[in-house]
Amino acid sequence: MSDDRVPDENSPWLTVIGLGEDGLAGLGDEAKRCIAAAAVLFGGSRHLELVAPLIAGESHVWLSPFERSVEAVLALKGSPVVVLASGDPFFFGVGVTLARHVPASDMRVLPAPSSFSLAASRLGWALQETTTISLHGRPVDLIRPHLQPGSRILALTSDEKTPQALAGLLTESGFGQSRLTILEALGGARERVTSLIAEDFSLGGIDPLNICAVEVVAGKGARVLPLAGGLDDGLFEHDGQITKREVRALTLSALAPRRGECLWDIGAGSGSIGIEWMLRDPAMKAVAIEGSPERALRIRRNATAFGVPGLIVVEGTAPAALAGLPRPDAVFIGGGGSEEGVMAAAIAALLPGGRLVANAVTTQMEAVLLDHHARLGGSLIRIDIARVSLVGTMTGWRPAMPVTQWSWVKP
């Protein structure tokens, strides 16, 4: 008599099954058969409880840290293993983590509707026109760049406290009139959908399993982050050490950000270059190197205010502070470039094909850039900007300090 729990050698050994709050009632016959035939099952305690009547093999609750459970799953390669997940395992789910270690050919995935799909269906929102973001185990500040007037956002939360934290963020940022809808335990017996205005938030007893929907309304003075490069200087907290708006736009253009790349911002000042770099795409990475403790703290505050809390701030001066950092795809040198060893260290660390952009306002730094341009080539431009200001009772053009900019691509 054969054991139907021994898989065919050519069939996937790992099955990842998405569950809804309706548990077994929402599963198809194939998913039920896989659960019953599994030698070992992994999942959250809630997942295992939902399918408990079908479990015939061993069941294991996820360990902490989660990497320990991934190792346990990988150790069972060749046995029929089932992993239980919430909704769609490949939409901010466990499937994404497992796929980093298990080839797709070794996995069979049976997804359920994601929380985003269920929420959109309850609200009548077009999912392709809605911003989706996960705040599960992540700072609520990540929503800030998406707060565009008239936009719709679905935010996956961590727990019952996140909706109130989100309402507070919306209110203090000038979006207090936005409609906030909390959708709890979607698809299950405890489902509840409640809408209110963010600044009037007073909802209690929220289910830890919830997703928040935001219909963004910008009040007067709301902190809306424009989608163009070269954000207004007034949006940044700074002490005057900031790459000014127009020069910053040209600098970012020369840095030519590409998805997922890492930037070093040496002599970061207010952190404006690294912050705008990260705003280009959620996959961007940046390291701000700043010698002043006061400015380093200011950079961290700016990063939070712009919704890019993942900006890494290294307190120290180049070149010593560069040791041990991940190699960059791009480097910007806005301060300290004339110090001995800084340019050489940046060039050495830069990955092949990477871009280096350096700005100079002092004659000493300009001399360094002229020398590097003569030896290495690249592009050298001079940026002259004048602004209208009062001249007695009239107005006139007042020139800003000219900026010399050298940009270079490493062979």
Side-chain angles (χ1 to χ4, degrees):
M1 188 173 187
S2 63
D3 184 349
D4 64 0
R5 293 192 295 175
V6 177
D8 182 275
E9 62 179 7
N10 296 317
S11 66
W13 61 272
L14 177 60
T15 302
V16 185
I17 298 175
L19 284 174
E21 281 300 292
D22 52 357
L24 291 176
L27 291 179
D29 291 341
E30 177 65 6
K32 292 176 181 177
R33 189 196 68 77
C34 290
I35 292 171
V40 183
L41 291 95
F42 290 86
S45 56
R46 180 174 60 88
H47 297 140
L48 294 169
E49 289 171 7
L50 286 171
V51 301
L54 289 181
I55 296 177
E58 299 177 17
S59 59
H60 298 274
V61 177
W62 293 126
L63 300 172
S64 181
F66 184 69
E67 289 73 18
R68 292 171 57 201
S69 287
V70 173
E71 292 172 0
V73 170
L74 297 177
L76 293 169
K77 180 178 180 179
S79 299
V81 177
V82 165
V83 165
L84 302 174
S86 295
D88 185 345
F90 279 86
F91 204 175
F92 298 109
V94 69
V96 178
T97 302
L98 291 171
R100 298 190 186 110
H101 307 277
V102 180
S105 58
D106 282 356
M107 283 195 294
R108 172 177 10 185
V109 182
L110 305 174
S114 69
S115 296
F116 296 112
S117 294
L118 292 173
S121 69
R122 299 297 190 272
L123 298 166
W125 289 7
L127 196 53
Q128 73 274 12
E129 298 171 3
T130 302
T131 299
T132 57
I133 183 173
S134 175
L135 302 179
H136 184 75
R138 307 167 77 196
V140 292
D141 296 295
L142 290 170
I143 203 171
R144 293 181 186 272
H146 305 290
L147 297 177
Q148 300 292 320
S151 65
R152 288 174 166 177
I153 304 169
L154 288 175
L156 193 62
T157 69
S158 286
D159 51 33
E160 69 279 6
K161 299 177 183 177
T162 307
Q164 183 168 4
L166 184 53
L169 182 151
L170 291 167
T171 302
E172 61 90 8
S173 302
F175 299 93
Q177 282 297 306
S178 299
R179 178 164 293 279
L180 182 61
T181 301
I182 299 91
L183 303 102
E184 306 169 57
L186 289 174
R190 305 189 318 278
E191 179 173 319
R192 180 174 68 157
V193 178
T194 309
S195 292
L196 39 74
I197 300 302
E199 64 186 15
D200 297 329
F201 188 92
S202 59
L203 187 63
I206 299 174
D207 194 293
L209 295 173
N210 68 81
I211 185 169
C212 290
V214 184
E215 297 172 81
V216 180
V217 177
K220 185 178 181 180
R223 187 181 169 84
V224 178
L225 301 181
L227 300 179
L231 297 176
D232 192 298
D233 296 347
L235 290 169
F236 295 88
E237 181 186 345
H238 65 90
D239 59 0
Q241 292 297 311
I242 183 173
T243 302
K244 298 298 191 292
R245 175 181 189 169
E246 299 83 359
V247 176
R248 192 181 331 119
L250 292 171
T251 299
L252 286 161
S253 176
L255 286 167
R258 300 171 186 173
R259 189 178 188 277
E261 289 188 326
C262 176
L263 168 77
W264 283 3
D265 181 0
I266 299 176
S270 67
S272 62
I273 293 290
I275 287 169
E276 288 216 40
W277 170 277
M278 292 189 70
L279 284 172
R280 298 284 69 79
D281 189 275
M284 305 303 281
K285 308 175 189 69
V287 181
I289 298 96
E290 174 54 54
S292 164
E294 183 179 352
R295 287 176 184 159
L297 285 172
R298 189 176 293 120
I299 293 170
R300 292 186 178 96
R301 292 195 296 271
N302 277 330
T304 297
F306 280 87
V308 289
L311 175 68
I312 297 171
V313 181
V314 174
E315 190 176 317
T317 54
L322 307 179
L325 296 180
R327 292 186 68 185
D329 300 283
V331 174
F332 171 61
I333 302 178
S338 60
E339 299 297 323
E340 185 175 355
V342 173
M343 294 291 288
I347 289 172
L350 190 64
L351 289 165
R355 290 84 62 204
L356 186 148
V357 177
N359 291 351
V361 293
T362 66
T363 54
Q364 289 81 5
M365 182 59 177
E366 185 176 81
V368 171
L369 300 189
L370 290 170
D371 173 66
H372 279 75
H373 178 255
R375 290 187 294 106
L376 301 176
S379 172
L380 194 66
I381 65 172
R382 189 175 179 86
I383 305 169
D384 289 288
I385 296 171
R387 296 181 175 85
V388 167
S389 63
L390 287 173
V391 181
T393 59
M394 306 180 76
T395 58
W397 293 104
R398 192 176 300 279
M401 292 182 68
V403 176
T404 301
Q405 183 179 93
W406 178 57
S407 56
W408 174 74
V409 178
K410 186 172 182 178

